[in-house]
Amino acid sequence: MPEQTAQTGSGKTPVDFWFDPLCPWAWMTSRWVLEVEKLRDIEVRWHIMSLAVLNEPKLDELPEEYRELLSTKAWAPVRVVTAAWQKHGADVLGPLYTALGTRFHNGGEGPTKEAIAAALDEVGLPASLLDYADQEDFEFDAELRASHKEGIEKVGQDVGTPVIAVPGADGEQIAFFGPVVTPAPKGEDAAKLWDGTLLVASVPGFYEIKRTRTAGPDFSNL
């Protein structure tokens, strides 16, 4: 992958975003950052990470329900998205993620083959990409893992998805897990959260703010 730069080709500030299409919390954060893109001079660059890859070393320690999710349903969407990226370029990642997430999360369809096929059709990608969903000897496994590794190496261990990298002090990118928020902020609330994210990123040595989640993902305003 190319080195990150201080500005994109459009002259806007880059925000790098690693997502797994399965994760409802990443979906919420992604809708927030797209709202920010309308309000601040930023450009989102999409990257793939994988909850299945992330949890491989500790799969046997997870609750049975989550273990089943990661060992079966988690692979299909991320493989299809990776194949689309490799065969059709990085520009397809944002539109495909939106099409998938709208069906998986807003529409409540979950990561079904039917939802993936409909998302591919919506963004004009070939239906043959669905063949990668069950490809255990995945053709682009190395590329998937490299993208995942890049995000994790920026943010560190003991995190999940999403991972975002934003401008910190002296323009150097600082990566965080999150922000985890529900529902996705709109308008000025979205802009304020962005400004706050930049503020904490600018403080050397800042690492974490956290509280216990008391609400589930709320897609009602998406």
Side-chain angles (χ1 to χ4, degrees):
M1 289 188 171
E3 290 294 320
Q4 308 299 351
T5 57
Q7 289 187 326
T8 66
S10 64
K12 296 183 178 182
T13 299
V15 179
D16 290 284
F17 192 110
W18 280 263
F19 69 93
D20 183 320
L22 185 69
C23 178
W25 296 103
W27 173 246
M28 208 86 64
T29 307
S30 74
R31 300 310 94 182
W32 160 70
V33 81
L34 285 178
E35 180 77 1
V36 174
E37 202 174 42
K38 304 173 188 175
L39 302 166
R40 297 289 187 266
D41 200 27
I42 69 167
E43 183 176 318
V44 183
R45 304 189 296 198
W46 303 101
H47 309 274
I48 301 164
M49 66 181 297
S50 168
L51 289 171
V53 171
L54 181 69
N55 288 281
E56 275 180 334
K58 55 185 178 183
L59 195 60
D60 292 340
E61 304 169 12
L62 298 174
E64 183 176 352
E65 182 179 351
Y66 196 45
R67 185 167 64 245
E68 175 70 15
L69 176 69
L70 293 176
S71 61
T72 55
K73 294 180 181 180
W75 283 110
V78 79
R79 283 173 176 158
V80 171
V81 172
T82 302
W85 163 43
Q86 289 298 301
K87 295 173 78 71
H88 299 277
D91 287 347
V92 306
L93 286 174
L96 181 55
Y97 182 27
T98 291
L100 288 168
T102 300
R103 288 169 173 79
F104 289 2
H105 307 299
N106 299 4
E109 298 177 43
T112 65
K113 295 283 186 64
E114 293 78 9
I116 297 172
L120 290 170
D121 181 66
E122 179 183 327
V123 298
L125 289 168
S128 59
L129 287 169
L130 191 61
D131 296 341
Y132 289 97
D134 297 322
Q135 192 180 72
E136 292 188 13
D137 188 15
F138 181 44
E139 180 179 346
F140 303 112
D141 188 66
E143 290 81 1
L144 166 59
R145 291 174 185 273
S147 179
H148 175 90
K149 181 180 178 183
E150 183 187 27
I152 291 298
E153 285 185 342
K154 283 182 176 291
V155 73
Q157 302 301 315
D158 300 318
V159 300
T161 176
V163 169
I164 64 168
V166 304
D170 301 322
E172 179 184 358
Q173 278 198 321
I174 301 295
F176 294 114
F177 162 56
V180 176
V181 60
T182 183
K186 298 289 187 179
E188 186 57 26
D189 285 341
K192 286 193 294 186
L193 179 56
W194 169 253
D195 295 341
T197 301
L198 289 186
L199 178 61
V200 297
S202 72
V203 178
F206 173 81
Y207 291 102
E208 183 176 9
I209 292 176
K210 190 172 183 178
R211 64 175 178 160
T212 300
R213 276 179 261 174
T214 58
D218 178 355
F219 310 121
S220 61
N221 68 341
L222 299 179

